[in-house]
Amino acid sequence: MDSLKLIEALSNAHGASGFEDEVVKIAEQYASDENLGNTRHDCNLNVYIEPEKNTGKKPVVMLDAHSDEVCFMIQAIKPNGTLCFLPLGGWSAYSVPAHKVKVQTYDGEWVSGIVASTPVHFLSVDKRNSCPDFTDMVIDIGATSKEEVENVFHIHIGAPVVPDVTFEYNEKTDVMLGKAFDNRLGCAAVLESMKELQNETLDVDVVGVLSCQEEIGERGAFVTRDVVKPDIAICFEGCPADDTFQPDYAIQTAMKKGPMLRHYDRSMITNPRFQRFSLELAKELHIPAQESVRSGGGTNGGVIHISNGGVPVIVIGVPVRYIHSHHGFACTEDYHNSVRLAVEIVKRLNAELIQTF
């Protein structure tokens, strides 16, 4: 499976936080097809990929990405058949109304719905210019009663809901359009990095991980870090691009400018020595890279770097426009450069170098 087909499959997969089954299936099938090694998942749907050539006697490099996407969950069913829901992950209420979604039935099927928006004809002047709260929104699946929702659609409270978006690729511009690029691009990067490293002679053992439930508090990474016990880690992310709304001097994550390496966010001050090594290597190999300092946000790196006695971690982010909404744009070349940089870093790691970080 080539990169675009892999990204398409992962992007189109429905993988709400806690319900990452479809993503797990794709990842495990890819790992099997490419002979990446022993692959398994735990009860929380964290995926672990361990090459057979791992010795257990070398420093452990953890390649991490989270498999869930920002999503929703059904909280209640109204008598008129509309569905109340909660956001899972960091949504802006402005970006939610009037979009299509998929709601999972009790039988595992997916039903189309719309986040209902009141027609302009029924809005006062004040409400036309205001944004509804999540508590005022409902999902409409075309039902007319609670009984129909439960007995015909087989939808109950607790059902996961994801954006209804189909992946597209513009070959002329090398730009992808789709949902869940945060962080299915990272999932693809872990898998393809493992493939690229497959035949390399390394001074480290590499473990690939797809962690669950990052969007609701990095919960999967609390488990995976304790299972893998990494000595060093690279976290792949789909990171928010700022090139369409920031002044030129403030742009730090632009599409088509290469992967972004983050110095700081609310979850982590990136290990400056590992960060410097990675940025200098990118420069040496003529791999375009960007740097950012963020006042918000967080990644699995925040959880991993304070484990196992302290772990040097960097975040390699693929810039994604309009992250944490239904749709995003990302450049394939940025993705390939992210994989390339990670692979080149891992090829140079050894116990002595890791100790300098």
Side-chain angles (χ1 to χ4, degrees):
M1 184 184 295
D2 64 23
S3 298
L4 273 174
K5 289 295 183 184
L6 176 60
I7 293 170
E8 179 178 10
L10 289 168
S11 174
N12 287 342
H14 303 321
S17 297
F19 300 85
E20 298 92 348
D21 307 72
E22 290 186 20
V23 185
V24 170
K25 183 178 180 180
I26 293 167
E28 291 185 333
Q29 186 62 57
Y30 180 91
S32 175
D33 291 344
E34 300 295 341
N35 299 311
L36 297 185
N38 177 43
T39 304
R40 63 183 181 86
H41 65 267
D42 61 27
C43 66
N44 293 320
L45 299 180
N46 296 303
V47 178
Y48 305 87
I49 305 170
E50 300 185 48
E52 293 181 1
K53 67 179 180 178
N54 280 3
T55 65
K57 300 177 181 179
K58 299 176 182 178
V60 176
V61 181
M62 181 177 179
L63 300 181
D64 165 85
H66 69 87
S67 57
D68 61 325
E69 60 187 288
V70 290
C71 54
F72 311 99
M73 180 177 282
I74 300 304
Q75 185 182 32
I77 304 171
K78 290 188 172 184
N80 66 3
T82 59
L83 313 175
C84 303
F85 63 94
L86 291 179
L88 300 183
W91 285 94
S92 166
Y94 283 99
S95 67
V96 176
H99 280 288
K100 282 186 67 181
V101 294
K102 290 288 189 180
V103 184
Q104 190 174 43
T105 71
Y106 189 79
D107 304 314
E109 302 299 322
W110 292 90
V111 173
S112 295
I114 302 170
V115 181
S117 56
T118 305
V120 66
H121 312 70
F122 305 124
L123 292 174
S124 66
V125 174
D126 289 341
K127 287 190 175 181
R128 288 181 191 180
N129 298 315
S130 65
C131 180
D133 295 327
F134 282 106
T135 53
D136 298 323
M137 299 182 200
V138 293
I139 292 171
D140 191 333
I141 57 171
T144 57
S145 69
K146 180 179 180 180
E147 290 73 24
E148 186 180 3
V149 171
E150 294 177 339
N151 300 327
V152 178
F153 288 92
H154 299 150
I155 290 173
H156 302 272
I157 66 169
V161 182
V162 296
D164 183 5
V165 178
T166 302
F167 177 89
E168 300 175 25
Y169 174 65
N170 188 325
E171 188 174 1
K172 292 181 180 179
T173 60
D174 193 38
V175 171
M176 302 174 285
L177 169 65
K179 73 170 182 66
F181 287 167
D182 174 14
N183 186 29
R184 304 292 160 67
L185 291 178
C187 294
V190 168
L191 294 169
E192 292 212 284
S193 294
M194 298 289 290
K195 179 181 177 181
E196 291 294 320
L197 292 166
Q198 196 171 33
N199 298 317
E200 297 287 343
T201 300
L202 303 173
D203 293 320
V204 291
D205 287 343
V206 180
V207 179
V209 171
L210 304 188
S211 302
C212 70
Q213 300 186 41
E214 189 268 356
E215 296 294 359
I216 54 174
E218 295 82 36
R219 296 177 186 181
F222 280 100
V223 177
T224 59
R225 69 176 192 179
D226 292 339
V227 171
V228 176
K229 294 181 172 60
D231 296 288
I232 194 167
I234 297 173
C235 292
F236 288 104
E237 265 289 0
C239 57
D242 56 7
D243 54 339
T244 57
F245 56 85
Q246 290 278 34
D248 289 348
Y249 75 88
I251 294 173
Q252 299 183 336
T253 313
M255 194 171 70
K256 298 191 175 184
K257 298 291 185 179
M260 180 274 285
L261 278 71
R262 187 180 301 181
H263 291 280
Y264 172 84
D265 61 29
R266 288 186 300 177
S267 69
M268 181 176 74
I269 298 174
T270 304
N271 181 289
R273 294 161 294 280
F274 188 17
Q275 178 89 330
R276 187 176 303 116
F277 169 83
S278 303
L279 289 168
E280 289 179 354
L281 180 61
K283 186 176 181 179
E284 174 189 336
L285 298 176
H286 304 290
I287 299 173
Q290 306 175 79
E291 305 171 59
S292 73
V293 175
R294 295 300 187 206
S295 58
T299 70
N300 280 344
V303 172
I304 297 167
H305 85 289
I306 53 174
S307 69
N308 200 29
V311 178
V313 180
I314 60 167
V315 176
I316 297 180
V318 183
V320 180
R321 287 180 177 174
Y322 318 117
I323 208 165
H324 281 219
S325 68
H326 281 63
H327 306 86
F329 283 120
C331 175
T332 310
E333 190 62 23
D334 290 337
Y335 165 80
H336 286 304
N337 280 322
S338 298
V339 172
R340 183 186 171 205
L341 178 57
V343 167
E344 294 298 334
I345 291 170
V346 173
K347 285 163 60 174
R348 288 161 176 77
L349 292 177
N350 54 53
E352 183 179 359
L353 178 59
I354 293 170
Q355 285 296 319
T356 68
F357 298 150

